[in-house]
Amino acid sequence: MTNKQLVKEVLRMAGIDSPVEKKTKTITYHRDRWGYVLGGQGELYTEALARTWGERKRSGKTLSYFLTSAKKWYTPPRRIVDCSGLIVEAFRVYQPKYADRNSSGFKRQFTQTGPIASIPETAGIAVWKQGHIGIYLGDGKVCESKGVSHGVVISELKSNTWTHYGKIRDVEYHDAYVVYKKEVKPETYLMYTIKRGDTLWRIAKRYKTSVAVLAKLNNIKNPALIIAGRTLKIKEEK
């Protein structure tokens, strides 16, 4: 599986093609996102399944967890994954027999890893902290199955205490692939054409700026010498 395929699948589980249901400063919730239930690996979560898992104490959780805490995910029923299940389920689209593993199991198999502060700008790299894992999308965005209250969401990298990044074994990485990219806006300026008799001081006064600012913006070494017919940058337009 390539990192592009991995990202495609986790974003599918985040409901990326559906409208945004809610957005906070750090998390985007899409309407058709999958839910989170500990131990979930793509199952359709129904009340009957919740009761069965609760009676069996799946993943060490009580009946109350499955029937009450996770109730939102079976009213109405929707697919569920936990944090590592998000990645396992993505793999199983291409490798149906891909073995289950938890977040620590993925970390042990990282082929390249380092502190989160040095994460490469490559989509599909895992982000990890003790007990939790997600998939980096680029430009400070992460897809993660965040918890029973959230489900699969798009979050800001800085909103969680991730400690490490890692390239996942069995993923073919194309390092240039990034989903979210910073938009670089072209710089545009208010311009002024110098007229005969103008001085930089008069121009600065007219536009409520300073000679020093204009000189720096236009790389003018001698503010006393300006040439009629040339154009000046006055200020950046936003």
Side-chain angles (χ1 to χ4, degrees):
M1 181 169 65
T2 66
N3 57 329
K4 187 172 184 178
Q5 290 170 325
L6 171 60
V7 168
K8 175 186 174 184
E9 296 307 323
V10 299
L11 286 177
R12 173 178 62 85
M13 288 179 262
I16 195 68
D17 292 329
S18 66
V20 172
E21 179 180 273
K22 183 174 70 170
K23 190 169 186 177
T24 69
K25 288 183 178 180
T26 58
I27 303 175
T28 300
Y29 303 80
H30 284 270
R31 184 190 64 197
D32 296 337
R33 68 191 184 280
W34 288 25
Y36 175 103
V37 177
L38 188 62
Q41 292 185 352
E43 298 88 349
L44 183 65
Y45 195 57
T46 63
E47 184 175 357
L49 181 60
R51 191 172 297 279
T52 297
W53 283 7
E55 290 169 351
R56 294 176 181 174
K57 292 185 169 50
R58 183 180 174 91
S59 301
K61 292 295 185 179
T62 64
L63 187 63
S64 176
Y65 171 82
F66 293 105
L67 285 177
T68 304
S69 300
K71 182 177 180 179
K72 67 185 295 182
W73 305 120
Y74 67 74
T75 52
R78 66 174 81 189
R79 300 277 173 190
I80 53 162
V81 284
D82 60 14
C83 68
S84 57
L86 176 74
I87 302 173
V88 170
E89 178 63 17
F91 265 101
R92 286 179 178 170
V93 172
Y94 300 92
Q95 302 175 39
K97 295 184 179 180
Y98 189 79
D100 184 25
R101 64 208 68 189
N102 60 21
S103 59
S104 295
F106 275 111
K107 184 176 185 293
R108 285 193 294 270
Q109 296 175 347
F110 286 166
T111 59
Q112 176 185 323
T113 188
I116 199 67
S118 60
I119 186 171
E121 198 63 9
T122 300
I125 284 179
V127 290
W128 184 94
K129 70 174 185 176
Q130 187 63 45
H132 193 40
I133 195 167
I135 296 296
Y136 188 59
L137 304 172
D139 193 21
K141 302 288 192 302
V142 172
C143 182
E144 58 175 316
S145 192
K146 190 171 179 62
V148 71
S149 299
H150 302 277
V152 182
V153 297
I154 309 299
S155 61
E156 296 289 331
L157 180 70
K158 63 184 179 183
S159 71
N160 215 325
T161 54
W162 305 109
T163 60
H164 294 78
Y165 77 84
K167 287 189 173 181
I168 300 171
R169 192 182 71 180
D170 302 323
V171 175
E172 178 186 341
Y173 282 92
H174 300 279
D175 291 335
Y177 176 61
V178 179
V179 179
Y180 287 87
K181 298 180 181 179
K182 291 181 180 177
E183 291 185 17
V184 180
K185 292 184 178 180
E187 293 182 339
T188 58
Y189 293 90
L190 173 65
M191 306 297 291
Y192 175 78
T193 302
I194 301 170
K195 298 178 177 58
R196 184 168 297 182
D198 275 338
T199 66
L200 208 57
W201 181 85
R202 287 177 181 169
I203 296 169
K205 184 178 180 181
R206 182 182 306 165
Y207 289 101
K208 298 180 180 179
T209 184
S210 69
V211 170
V213 167
L214 291 180
K216 182 176 180 181
L217 194 59
N218 294 277
N219 196 28
I220 297 173
K221 296 190 177 356
N222 183 359
L225 180 61
I226 56 174
I227 301 172
R230 290 192 177 179
T231 56
L232 291 176
K233 294 176 183 177
I234 302 300
K235 61 181 179 180
E236 187 176 357
E237 295 181 324
K238 298 181 180 179

Coordinates of all heavy atoms in Angstrom, one line a residue, residues 79-150:
R79 N -20.3 2.7 11.2 CA -19.0 1.9 11.3 C -18.1 2.5 12.4 O -18.2 3.7 12.6 CB -18.3 1.9 10.0 CG -19.0 1.3 8.8 CD -18.9 -0.2 8.8 NE -19.8 -0.8 7.8 CZ -20.0 -2.1 7.7 NH1 -19.4 -2.9 8.6 NH2 -20.8 -2.6 6.8
I80 N -17.3 1.7 13.0 CA -16.5 2.1 14.1 C -15.1 1.6 14.0 O -14.8 0.5 13.5 CB -17.1 1.7 15.5 CG1 -17.3 0.2 15.5 CG2 -18.4 2.5 15.8 CD1 -17.5 -0.4 16.9
V81 N -14.1 2.4 14.5 CA -12.7 2.0 14.6 C -12.2 2.7 15.8 O -12.6 3.8 16.2 CB -11.9 2.3 13.4 CG1 -12.1 1.4 12.2 CG2 -12.1 3.8 13.0
D82 N -11.2 2.1 16.5 CA -10.4 2.8 17.5 C -9.2 3.4 16.8 O -9.1 3.3 15.6 CB -10.1 1.9 18.7 CG -9.3 0.7 18.4 OD1 -8.7 0.6 17.3 OD2 -9.2 -0.2 19.3
C83 N -8.3 3.9 17.5 CA -7.2 4.7 16.9 C -6.3 3.8 16.0 O -6.0 4.1 14.9 CB -6.3 5.4 17.9 SG -5.4 4.4 19.0
S84 N -5.9 2.6 16.5 CA -5.1 1.7 15.7 C -5.9 1.0 14.7 O -5.5 0.7 13.6 CB -4.4 0.7 16.6 OG -5.3 -0.1 17.4
G85 N -7.2 0.8 15.0 CA -8.2 0.2 14.1 C -8.3 1.0 12.8 O -8.6 0.5 11.7
L86 N -8.2 2.3 12.9 CA -8.3 3.2 11.8 C -7.2 2.8 10.7 O -7.5 2.7 9.5 CB -8.0 4.6 12.2 CG -7.9 5.7 11.1 CD1 -9.3 6.0 10.6 CD2 -7.3 7.0 11.7
I87 N -6.0 2.5 11.2 CA -4.9 2.1 10.3 C -5.1 0.7 9.8 O -4.9 0.4 8.6 CB -3.6 2.4 11.0 CG1 -3.4 3.8 11.4 CG2 -2.4 2.0 10.0 CD1 -2.2 4.1 12.2
V88 N -5.4 -0.2 10.7 CA -5.6 -1.6 10.4 C -6.7 -1.7 9.3 O -6.5 -2.5 8.3 CB -6.0 -2.4 11.6 CG1 -6.5 -3.8 11.2 CG2 -4.8 -2.5 12.6
E89 N -7.8 -1.0 9.5 CA -8.9 -1.1 8.5 C -8.5 -0.5 7.2 O -8.9 -1.1 6.1 CB -10.1 -0.3 9.0 CG -11.3 -0.3 8.1 CD -11.9 -1.6 7.8 OE1 -11.6 -2.6 8.6 OE2 -12.7 -1.7 6.8
A90 N -7.7 0.5 7.1 CA -7.2 1.0 5.9 C -6.3 0.0 5.2 O -6.4 -0.2 3.9 CB -6.3 2.3 6.1
F91 N -5.5 -0.7 5.9 CA -4.7 -1.8 5.3 C -5.5 -2.9 4.7 O -5.3 -3.4 3.7 CB -3.7 -2.4 6.4 CG -2.3 -1.8 6.4 CD1 -2.0 -0.8 7.3 CD2 -1.4 -2.2 5.4 CE1 -0.7 -0.3 7.3 CE2 -0.1 -1.6 5.4 CZ 0.2 -0.7 6.4
R92 N -6.6 -3.2 5.5 CA -7.4 -4.4 5.1 C -8.2 -4.2 3.8 O -8.7 -5.1 3.2 CB -8.3 -4.8 6.2 CG -7.6 -5.5 7.4 CD -8.4 -5.9 8.5 NE -7.6 -6.6 9.5 CZ -8.1 -6.9 10.8 NH1 -9.3 -6.5 11.1 NH2 -7.3 -7.5 11.6
V93 N -8.3 -2.9 3.4 CA -8.9 -2.7 2.1 C -8.1 -3.3 1.0 O -8.6 -3.8 0.0 CB -9.1 -1.1 1.9 CG1 -9.6 -0.8 0.4 CG2 -10.1 -0.6 2.9
Y94 N -6.8 -3.3 1.2 CA -5.8 -3.8 0.2 C -5.3 -5.2 0.6 O -4.9 -5.9 -0.3 CB -4.7 -2.8 0.0 CG -5.2 -1.5 -0.5 CD1 -5.5 -0.5 0.5 CD2 -5.3 -1.2 -1.8 CE1 -6.0 0.8 0.0 CE2 -5.8 0.0 -2.2 CZ -6.1 1.0 -1.3 OH -6.6 2.2 -1.7
Q95 N -5.2 -5.4 1.9 CA -4.7 -6.7 2.4 C -5.7 -7.3 3.4 O -5.6 -7.0 4.6 CB -3.3 -6.5 3.1 CG -2.3 -5.9 2.1 CD -1.0 -5.7 2.9 OE1 -0.6 -6.4 3.8 NE2 -0.3 -4.5 2.6
P96 N -6.7 -8.0 3.0 CA -7.8 -8.4 3.9 C -7.3 -9.2 5.1 O -8.0 -9.1 6.2 CB -8.7 -9.3 3.0 CG -8.4 -8.8 1.6 CD -7.0 -8.4 1.6
K97 N -6.2 -9.8 5.1 CA -5.7 -10.6 6.2 C -4.7 -9.8 7.0 O -4.0 -10.5 7.8 CB -5.2 -11.9 5.7 CG -6.2 -12.8 5.1 CD -5.6 -14.2 4.7 CE -6.7 -15.1 4.1 NZ -6.2 -16.4 3.7
Y98 N -4.6 -8.5 6.9 CA -3.6 -7.8 7.6 C -3.9 -7.9 9.1 O -5.0 -7.8 9.6 CB -3.8 -6.3 7.2 CG -2.6 -5.4 7.8 CD1 -1.4 -5.4 7.2 CD2 -2.9 -4.6 8.9 CE1 -0.4 -4.6 7.8 CE2 -1.9 -3.8 9.5 CZ -0.6 -3.8 8.9 OH 0.4 -3.1 9.4
A99 N -2.8 -8.3 9.8 CA -2.9 -8.6 11.3 C -3.2 -7.4 12.1 O -2.7 -6.3 11.9 CB -1.7 -9.3 11.7
D100 N -4.0 -7.6 13.2 CA -4.4 -6.6 14.1 C -3.1 -6.2 14.9 O -2.2 -7.0 15.2 CB -5.5 -7.1 15.1 CG -5.9 -6.0 16.0 OD1 -5.8 -4.8 15.7 OD2 -6.4 -6.3 17.1
R101 N -3.0 -4.9 15.3 CA -2.0 -4.5 16.2 C -2.4 -3.2 16.9 O -3.3 -2.5 16.4 CB -0.6 -4.3 15.5 CG -0.6 -3.2 14.4 CD 0.4 -3.6 13.4 NE 0.0 -4.7 12.6 CZ 0.7 -5.4 11.7 NH1 2.0 -5.0 11.5 NH2 0.3 -6.4 11.1
N102 N -1.9 -2.9 18.1 CA -2.3 -1.6 18.7 C -1.3 -0.5 18.4 O -0.3 -0.7 17.6 CB -2.4 -1.9 20.3 CG -1.1 -2.4 20.9 OD1 0.0 -2.2 20.3 ND2 -1.1 -3.0 22.0
S103 N -1.4 0.6 19.0 CA -0.6 1.8 18.7 C 0.9 1.5 19.0 O 1.8 1.8 18.2 CB -1.0 3.0 19.4 OG -1.0 2.8 20.8
S104 N 1.2 0.8 20.1 CA 2.6 0.4 20.4 C 3.1 -0.6 19.4 O 4.3 -0.5 19.1 CB 2.7 -0.1 21.8 OG 2.3 0.9 22.7
G105 N 2.3 -1.5 18.9 CA 2.7 -2.5 17.9 C 3.1 -1.8 16.6 O 4.1 -2.2 16.0
F106 N 2.4 -0.8 16.2 CA 2.8 0.0 15.0 C 4.1 0.7 15.3 O 5.0 0.7 14.4 CB 1.7 1.0 14.7 CG 0.6 0.5 13.8 CD1 -0.7 0.3 14.3 CD2 0.8 0.1 12.5 CE1 -1.7 -0.2 13.6 CE2 -0.2 -0.4 11.7 CZ -1.5 -0.6 12.3
K107 N 4.2 1.3 16.5 CA 5.5 2.1 16.7 C 6.7 1.2 16.7 O 7.8 1.6 16.2 CB 5.4 2.8 18.1 CG 6.6 3.6 18.4 CD 6.4 4.4 19.7 CE 7.6 5.3 19.9 NZ 8.9 4.7 20.2
R108 N 6.6 0.0 17.2 CA 7.7 -1.0 17.2 C 8.2 -1.3 15.8 O 9.3 -1.7 15.6 CB 7.4 -2.2 18.0 CG 7.3 -2.1 19.5 CD 7.3 -3.4 20.2 NE 6.1 -4.1 19.9 CZ 5.0 -4.0 20.7 NH1 5.0 -3.2 21.7 NH2 3.9 -4.7 20.4
Q109 N 7.3 -1.2 14.8 CA 7.6 -1.5 13.4 C 7.8 -0.3 12.5 O 8.0 -0.5 11.3 CB 6.4 -2.3 12.9 CG 6.2 -3.7 13.6 CD 5.0 -4.4 13.1 OE1 4.1 -3.9 12.4 NE2 4.9 -5.7 13.5
F110 N 7.9 0.9 13.1 CA 8.3 2.0 12.3 C 9.6 1.8 11.6 O 10.6 1.4 12.3 CB 8.4 3.3 13.2 CG 7.1 3.9 13.6 CD1 7.0 4.8 14.7 CD2 5.9 3.5 13.1 CE1 5.8 5.4 15.1 CE2 4.7 4.0 13.5 CZ 4.6 5.0 14.5
T111 N 9.7 2.1 10.4 CA 11.0 2.0 9.6 C 11.8 3.2 9.7 O 13.0 3.2 9.4 CB 10.7 1.6 8.2 OG1 9.9 2.7 7.6 CG2 9.9 0.3 8.0
Q112 N 11.2 4.3 10.1 CA 11.9 5.6 10.3 C 11.1 6.4 11.3 O 9.9 6.4 11.3 CB 12.0 6.4 9.0 CG 12.6 7.8 9.2 CD 12.6 8.6 7.9 OE1 12.7 8.1 6.8 NE2 12.3 9.9 8.1
T113 N 11.8 6.9 12.3 CA 11.0 7.6 13.4 C 11.9 8.7 14.0 O 13.1 8.8 13.7 CB 10.6 6.6 14.5 OG1 9.8 7.3 15.4 CG2 11.8 6.0 15.2
G114 N 11.2 9.6 14.7 CA 11.9 10.7 15.3 C 11.0 11.5 16.2 O 9.8 11.2 16.2
P115 N 11.5 12.5 16.9 CA 10.6 13.4 17.7 C 9.6 14.1 16.8 O 9.9 14.5 15.7 CB 11.6 14.3 18.4 CG 12.8 14.3 17.5 CD 12.9 13.0 16.9
I116 N 8.4 14.4 17.3 CA 7.4 15.0 16.6 C 7.8 16.4 16.0 O 7.3 16.8 15.0 CB 6.1 15.1 17.4 CG1 4.9 15.3 16.5 CG2 6.2 16.2 18.5 CD1 4.5 14.2 15.6
A117 N 8.7 17.1 16.7 CA 9.1 18.4 16.2 C 9.8 18.4 14.9 O 9.9 19.3 14.2 CB 10.0 19.1 17.3
S118 N 10.3 17.2 14.5 CA 11.1 17.1 13.3 C 10.3 16.3 12.2 O 10.9 15.7 11.3 CB 12.4 16.4 13.5 OG 12.3 15.1 14.1
I119 N 9.0 16.2 12.4 CA 8.2 15.4 11.4 C 8.3 15.9 10.0 O 8.2 17.1 9.7 CB 6.7 15.4 11.8 CG1 5.9 14.4 11.0 CG2 6.1 16.8 11.8 CD1 4.5 14.2 11.5
P120 N 8.6 15.0 9.0 CA 8.7 15.4 7.6 C 7.3 15.8 7.1 O 6.3 15.4 7.6 CB 9.2 14.2 6.9 CG 9.7 13.3 8.0 CD 8.9 13.6 9.2
E121 N 7.3 16.7 6.1 CA 6.0 17.2 5.5 C 5.6 16.1 4.5 O 5.5 16.4 3.3 CB 6.2 18.6 4.9 CG 4.9 19.3 4.7 CD 4.1 19.6 6.0 OE1 4.6 19.4 7.1 OE2 3.0 20.1 5.8
T122 N 5.2 15.0 5.0 CA 4.8 13.8 4.1 C 3.5 13.3 4.6 O 3.4 12.8 5.8 CB 5.9 12.7 4.1 OG1 7.1 13.3 3.6 CG2 5.4 11.6 3.2
A123 N 2.5 13.2 3.8 CA 1.2 12.7 4.2 C 1.3 11.1 4.3 O 2.0 10.5 3.5 CB 0.1 13.0 3.2
G124 N 0.7 10.6 5.3 CA 0.7 9.1 5.5 C 1.6 8.7 6.6 O 1.6 7.5 7.0
I125 N 2.5 9.6 7.1 CA 3.3 9.3 8.2 C 2.5 9.2 9.5 O 1.5 10.0 9.7 CB 4.4 10.3 8.4 CG1 5.5 10.1 7.3 CG2 5.1 10.3 9.8 CD1 6.6 11.1 7.3
A126 N 2.8 8.2 10.4 CA 2.0 8.1 11.6 C 2.5 9.1 12.6 O 3.7 9.5 12.7 CB 2.2 6.7 12.2
V127 N 1.6 9.6 13.4 CA 2.0 10.4 14.6 C 1.5 9.6 15.8 O 0.5 9.0 15.8 CB 1.3 11.8 14.6 CG1 1.9 12.7 13.5 CG2 -0.2 11.7 14.4
W128 N 2.4 9.6 16.9 CA 2.2 8.7 18.0 C 2.5 9.3 19.3 O 3.3 10.2 19.4 CB 3.2 7.5 17.8 CG 3.1 6.4 18.8 CD1 2.4 5.3 18.7 CD2 3.8 6.3 20.0 NE1 2.5 4.5 19.8 CE2 3.4 5.1 20.7 CE3 4.6 7.2 20.7 CZ2 3.8 4.7 21.9 CZ3 5.1 6.8 22.0 CH2 4.7 5.6 22.6
K129 N 1.7 8.9 20.3 CA 2.0 9.1 21.7 C 1.6 7.9 22.4 O 0.9 7.0 21.9 CB 1.3 10.4 22.2 CG -0.2 10.2 22.4 CD -0.8 11.5 23.0 CE -2.3 11.3 23.3 NZ -2.9 12.4 24.0
Q130 N 2.0 7.7 23.7 CA 1.6 6.5 24.4 C 0.1 6.3 24.4 O -0.6 7.1 24.8 CB 2.1 6.6 25.9 CG 2.0 5.4 26.7 CD 2.8 4.2 26.1 OE1 4.0 4.4 25.8 NE2 2.3 3.1 26.0
G131 N -0.3 5.2 23.8 CA -1.7 4.8 23.8 C -2.5 5.3 22.7 O -3.7 5.1 22.6
H132 N -1.9 6.1 21.8 CA -2.7 6.7 20.7 C -1.8 6.9 19.4 O -0.6 7.0 19.5 CB -3.2 8.0 21.2 CG -4.3 8.6 20.3 ND1 -5.3 7.9 19.7 CD2 -4.5 9.9 19.9 CE1 -6.1 8.6 19.0 NE2 -5.6 9.9 19.1
I133 N -2.5 6.8 18.3 CA -1.8 6.9 17.0 C -2.8 7.6 16.0 O -4.0 7.4 16.1 CB -1.4 5.5 16.5 CG1 -0.3 5.7 15.3 CG2 -2.5 4.6 16.1 CD1 0.4 4.4 15.0
G134 N -2.2 8.3 15.1 CA -3.0 9.0 14.0 C -2.2 9.0 12.7 O -1.0 8.6 12.7
I135 N -2.7 9.6 11.7 CA -2.1 9.7 10.4 C -1.9 11.2 10.0 O -2.9 11.9 9.9 CB -2.8 9.0 9.3 CG1 -2.9 7.5 9.6 CG2 -2.2 9.2 7.9 CD1 -1.5 6.8 9.6
Y136 N -0.7 11.6 9.7 CA -0.4 13.0 9.4 C -0.8 13.2 7.9 O -0.6 12.4 7.0 CB 1.1 13.3 9.5 CG 1.5 14.7 9.3 CD1 0.9 15.7 10.2 CD2 2.4 15.1 8.4 CE1 1.3 17.0 10.0 CE2 2.8 16.4 8.2 CZ 2.2 17.4 9.1 OH 2.5 18.7 8.9
L137 N -1.4 14.4 7.7 CA -1.9 14.8 6.4 C -1.1 15.9 5.7 O -1.3 16.2 4.5 CB -3.4 15.2 6.5 CG -4.3 14.2 7.1 CD1 -5.7 14.8 7.3 CD2 -4.4 13.0 6.2
G138 N -0.2 16.6 6.5 CA 0.5 17.7 6.0 C -0.1 19.0 6.5 O -1.2 19.1 7.0
D139 N 0.7 20.1 6.5 CA 0.4 21.4 7.0 C -0.3 21.4 8.4 O -1.2 22.1 8.6 CB -0.6 22.1 6.0 CG -0.7 23.6 6.2 OD1 0.1 24.1 6.9 OD2 -1.8 24.1 5.8
G140 N 0.3 20.6 9.3 CA -0.2 20.6 10.6 C -1.5 19.9 10.9 O -2.2 20.1 11.9
K141 N -2.0 19.1 9.9 CA -3.3 18.4 10.0 C -3.1 16.9 10.2 O -2.2 16.3 9.7 CB -4.2 18.6 8.8 CG -4.4 20.1 8.5 CD -5.4 20.7 9.4 CE -5.9 22.0 8.9 NZ -4.9 23.0 8.7
V142 N -4.0 16.3 11.0 CA -3.9 14.9 11.4 C -5.3 14.3 11.2 O -6.3 14.9 11.6 CB -3.4 14.7 12.8 CG1 -3.6 13.2 13.2 CG2 -2.0 15.2 13.0
C143 N -5.4 13.0 10.7 CA -6.6 12.3 10.7 C -6.5 11.2 11.9 O -5.5 10.5 11.9 CB -6.9 11.5 9.4 SG -8.4 10.6 9.4
E144 N -7.4 11.3 12.8 CA -7.3 10.3 13.9 C -8.7 9.9 14.4 O -9.7 10.6 14.2 CB -6.6 11.0 15.1 CG -7.3 12.3 15.6 CD -6.6 12.9 16.8 OE1 -6.3 12.1 17.8 OE2 -6.5 14.1 16.9
S145 N -8.8 8.7 14.9 CA -10.0 8.2 15.6 C -9.8 8.6 17.0 O -9.1 8.0 17.8 CB -10.2 6.7 15.4 OG -11.4 6.3 15.8
K146 N -10.3 9.8 17.4 CA -9.9 10.5 18.6 C -10.4 10.0 19.9 O -9.8 10.2 20.9 CB -10.3 12.0 18.4 CG -9.7 12.9 19.4 CD -9.9 14.4 19.1 CE -9.4 15.3 20.1 NZ -7.9 15.2 20.2
G147 N -11.6 9.4 19.9 CA -12.2 8.9 21.2 C -13.7 8.8 21.0 O -14.3 9.2 20.0
V148 N -14.3 8.2 22.0 CA -15.7 7.9 21.9 C -16.6 9.1 21.8 O -17.7 9.0 21.2 CB -16.1 7.0 23.2 CG1 -16.2 7.9 24.4 CG2 -17.5 6.4 22.9
S149 N -16.1 10.2 22.2 CA -16.9 11.5 22.1 C -16.8 12.1 20.7 O -17.6 13.0 20.3 CB -16.5 12.5 23.1 OG -16.8 12.0 24.4
H150 N -15.7 11.7 19.9 CA -15.4 12.4 18.7 C -15.6 11.6 17.4 O -16.1 12.1 16.4 CB -14.0 13.0 18.8 CG -13.7 13.9 19.9 ND1 -14.0 15.2 19.9 CD2 -13.2 13.6 21.1 CE1 -13.7 15.8 21.1 NE2 -13.2 14.8 21.8

